[in-house]
Amino acid sequence: MNWEYKAGGTHLFGWLVLVFFGFSCSTQSFDGMLLVAVQPTNTSGLTVLGENGYVAGSKIVAIHPESPNANPIELTNDFFAATAPELSYDGKRMLFSAQKSVSDKWQIWEMTLSGLQAQQLSHFTEDCISPVYLPGDRFVFSSFLKNDTVKNSFAVFQGKLDGSQIQQVSYDPQNHTALSVLKDGRVLSITQQVYPLVGDDKFMVMRPDGTKLELFCAHNEMEIFRSSAHETNDGKIVFVSENGNTKKSDLVSVDYNMPFHSRNVLSPELAGDFLFVRPGQNGQLLTSYLSESAQEFQLYSYDVEMHVLTEIWQYEEFDVLDALFIQAFERPRNLPSEVNSSEETGLLMCQDINFSGLESMAIDDKQKAQKIEIIGTEGSLGKVNVESDGSFYLKVDANLPFRIQTLSAEGEVIKGPGSWYYIRPNERRACVGCHTGTEISPFNQQPVSVRKDPVLIPVQKTLNK
C-alpha cells in the first residue's frame, strides 16, 4: 500500500511538474530577447517572391543575446514558412507573414508573445508581405495585385488588427514593399515602377491612408535597396544598399530632414555583405553580415562611431534576415485621414511648372512650358493649358494613376513624363513646380489657376458638362 501510494504521489508530482513547465513556457517573458527571422542558407530550387525571407523553410525564433549558444525558441513551428516579424508598440505582440502550408499564399498573421497564439489577419488570393503596426490598433502591409490600375505589382493595404476594414490605399503601377513607419506617422517603402518600364529602386513615403505619396530619397541609378529603412533616435534613416555594378552591399544612412543630400556609407571599410539593419541598443545597430570567410549571414551589433562589428549569434545552415529587440518602444504619430470614400475626385494644384529644383524662374519665355499632358496607364487623359504664372489646378478621378509631362506651346515634350501618382477620394495636393523634390518651400503668392474652377481629369469629362 505504501509503495502504491508513493508511486501514485510520484505520478501526481510529475504531472504537476509538467503542467507547471508547460504553463511557464506558454507565459514566459521574452523581454530583452531578440526576435530573429532566418532562412535556409541554400535556397536554390525553392519558390522565392523576389525578397529575402519569403522562401520555404524560413522561420522566426527568439534568442537571448547574452546566451548565444543556447537553443533558439522557435515561435512559428505551426507554419510551413514564416518571416518579416514586427513588434507592437508595447512589445507584447508580433505581426509576421507566413504560409500555413506549402500550397498557401503568404498571408499576414499576428501572434501574442505571452501565449504564442496566432490569428490570421489577411485572407487574400495573392501573397501578402511586409506587415507593420500603425497607431489606433491598425496595421499596414503589401499585397500582390493584377489589374488595369496597378498592372502586376505590390500595392499597400491597411486594416484593423481584428482583420476587418482592410482596404487598398495605393493605386499606381509600382511595387511598394519592405514597409516601415517613420516617427512622423508616414509609411516608408521601397518603391519600384513596373510599368511601362521597370524602374530603379527609390524610397517613397505616404500617409497610412495612401495620401500625399511623394519621393523620400533616391540616389544613383544602379543602387539597389536590399532592406527596409528604419529611423534611429538621432534622426537618421538606416538601410542596406547594394551597388548594382560591384554587387557589394553597405550600411547607409540619410538624415530625416535632408534625405536627398545626406547619404553616408556607415561601413566603408568592411568587405563583406549585409542583408538588413535596424536600430539596436545604446546607439548601436543590429545587422546581418556575411564575412568573406563565413558560410552564413550572421547576426551582429555594429558600432557606427568605431566601425566595429561584434558577433551576437549564428545559426548553422541558416541566414539571419532580420532581428529586433523585444521591448516596448515609442508609438509614431497617429495621422488623421482626409479620405472620404463618398467623394469620387480629389484636387491637385501646381504653382509653376517651369520651376525645377533649386533653379530660379528666370528662363527664356521661348523655353517655358505652356501646357501639361496627364498620362494614365492606358494613354493620355488630356492636355491642359497652364496659366500665365505657370500654375494649373485639376480635379482628378480618385484612385486613378497618372503621370504628368510638360509641353511647349506647339505640343513638344519639354520634361517628363514623371513619376506615377494618384489622388485619393477628397485628397487635396499641391506642388511647387516640376521635379522640385520635397525640400522646396512654396512661393508666397496665390496661383492664378485657383481663381478659377479646376479642370476635370480625364479632360473628356469637361465636354460632357
Side-chain angles (χ1 to χ4, degrees):
M1 291 289 294
N2 290 341
W3 173 252
E4 292 177 358
Y5 175 79
K6 289 181 179 179
T10 301
H11 284 298
L12 178 61
F13 176 75
W15 179 80
L16 289 172
V17 168
L18 288 174
V19 171
F20 178 77
F21 180 77
F23 178 79
S24 298
C25 286
S26 64
T27 60
Q28 74 176 76
S29 172
F30 288 92
D31 289 348
M33 299 182 71
L34 283 161
L35 281 179
V36 186
V38 297
Q39 74 175 21
T41 300
N42 181 11
T43 58
S44 60
L46 300 178
T47 301
V48 186
L49 282 178
E51 296 215 352
N52 287 323
Y54 296 90
V55 299
S58 58
K59 58 185 177 180
I60 301 170
V61 302
I63 66 168
H64 202 296
E66 296 180 0
S67 303
N69 295 323
N71 290 329
I73 302 172
E74 295 196 14
L75 305 181
T76 54
N77 284 332
D78 294 337
F79 294 86
F80 173 71
T83 192
E86 286 291 338
L87 274 173
S88 59
Y89 307 124
D90 59 6
K92 296 180 179 180
R93 293 165 293 147
M94 171 183 71
L95 285 172
F96 60 103
S97 181
Q99 289 177 292
K100 189 67 175 176
S101 63
V102 64
S103 60
D104 291 342
K105 294 291 186 179
W106 291 86
Q107 299 297 322
I108 308 304
W109 294 72
E110 185 183 42
M111 177 181 288
T112 59
L113 296 181
S114 59
L116 303 185
Q117 296 175 330
Q119 175 187 3
Q120 186 173 346
L121 302 184
S122 67
H123 298 82
F124 284 33
T125 57
E126 298 290 348
D127 292 302
C128 299
I129 62 173
S130 301
V132 187
Y133 283 97
L134 291 172
D137 292 326
R138 304 186 72 85
F139 72 110
V140 64
F141 63 98
S142 300
S143 180
F144 190 71
L145 292 180
K146 299 178 183 178
N147 58 43
D148 291 339
T149 300
V150 303
K151 301 302 181 181
N152 300 320
S153 66
F154 279 92
V156 181
F157 287 75
Q158 69 138 305
K160 298 187 68 173
L161 284 173
D162 61 3
S164 67
Q165 298 182 17
I166 292 180
Q167 55 186 284
Q168 183 179 345
V169 299
S170 74
Y171 291 85
D172 52 353
Q174 302 189 105
N175 281 326
H176 296 278
T177 59
L179 308 184
S180 61
V181 178
L182 299 174
K183 296 180 187 297
D184 64 15
R186 294 181 297 170
V187 176
L188 180 66
S189 71
I190 296 178
T191 302
Q192 182 188 46
Q193 177 180 292
V194 301
Y195 178 84
L197 300 173
V198 175
D200 298 314
D201 285 355
K202 51 192 174 184
F203 281 112
M204 298 195 75
V205 287
M206 68 181 76
R207 291 190 168 215
D209 60 4
T211 61
K212 306 299 186 284
L213 174 71
E214 63 183 17
L215 180 66
F216 185 76
C217 74
H219 297 108
N220 63 71
E221 293 183 353
M222 296 302 295
E223 186 170 29
I224 301 170
F225 298 135
R226 295 185 64 174
S227 76
S228 55
H230 297 277
E231 188 173 1
T232 66
N233 289 330
D234 60 352
K236 307 292 185 182
I237 310 296
V238 294
F239 53 92
V240 175
S241 173
E242 178 184 306
N243 185 305
N245 290 318
T246 65
K247 304 303 180 183
K248 182 185 181 304
S249 60
D250 286 299
L251 304 181
V252 176
S253 75
V254 297
D255 292 342
Y256 169 84
N257 292 322
M258 291 186 17
F260 285 93
H261 310 291
S262 56
R263 188 179 189 276
N264 182 29
V265 176
L266 305 177
S267 54
E269 301 175 359
L270 297 176
D273 284 316
F274 297 87
L275 277 184
F276 88 95
V277 62
R278 282 183 185 260
Q281 294 180 328
N282 302 318
Q284 301 204 356
L285 300 174
L286 285 174
T287 188
S288 177
Y289 176 69
L290 178 67
S291 66
E292 293 178 319
S293 60
Q295 300 297 316
E296 299 96 7
F297 280 89
Q298 302 169 8
L299 181 60
Y300 285 84
S301 175
Y302 184 63
D303 188 314
V304 178
E305 298 296 329
M306 302 300 294
H307 294 179
V308 173
L309 279 168
T310 303
E311 183 180 321
I312 296 177
W313 183 65
Q314 60 176 307
Y315 198 18
E316 188 175 353
E317 298 184 353
F318 282 85
D319 288 323
V320 174
L321 301 171
D322 200 355
L324 59 161
F325 279 98
I326 302 175
Q327 59 187 10
F329 60 99
E330 180 184 357
R331 192 202 73 178
R333 289 182 59 192
N334 190 0
L335 296 176
S337 175
E338 64 180 306
V339 171
N340 182 347
S341 58
S342 65
E343 297 288 337
E344 297 181 351
T345 60
L347 298 173
L348 173 65
M349 185 275 293
C350 176
Q351 286 192 317
D352 186 355
I353 63 172
N354 292 298
F355 182 67
S356 179
L358 295 173
E359 302 171 1
S360 71
M361 294 170 53
I363 59 176
D364 191 287
D365 286 343
K366 295 181 180 180
Q367 297 176 324
K368 285 187 176 182
Q370 304 291 329
K371 303 177 181 179
I372 59 168
E373 182 174 19
I374 296 86
I375 302 172
T377 56
E378 303 302 323
S380 178
L381 298 174
K383 298 178 181 179
V384 178
N385 292 321
V386 300
E387 300 296 334
S388 58
D389 61 350
S391 67
F392 65 79
Y393 187 34
L394 310 177
K395 178 179 282 189
V396 185
D397 276 2
N399 303 331
L400 175 70
F402 64 89
R403 297 184 294 167
I404 296 177
Q405 61 184 11
T406 60
L407 309 174
S408 67
E410 293 74 28
E412 297 178 350
V413 176
I414 295 179
K415 285 189 177 182
S419 300
W420 287 102
Y421 290 98
Y422 55 86
I423 302 294
R424 300 284 282 130
N426 197 51
E427 180 180 2
R428 288 159 172 77
R429 294 203 60 173
C431 60
V432 178
C434 180
H435 305 290
T436 54
T438 59
E439 299 170 329
I440 310 298
S441 298
F443 309 115
N444 187 20
Q445 62 187 39
Q446 184 186 48
V448 173
S449 59
V450 298
R451 303 171 193 170
K452 305 177 182 179
D453 291 335
V455 177
L456 300 182
I457 303 297
V459 169
Q460 288 80 0
K461 283 193 168 186
T462 308
L463 302 179
N464 296 330
K465 284 198 169 285

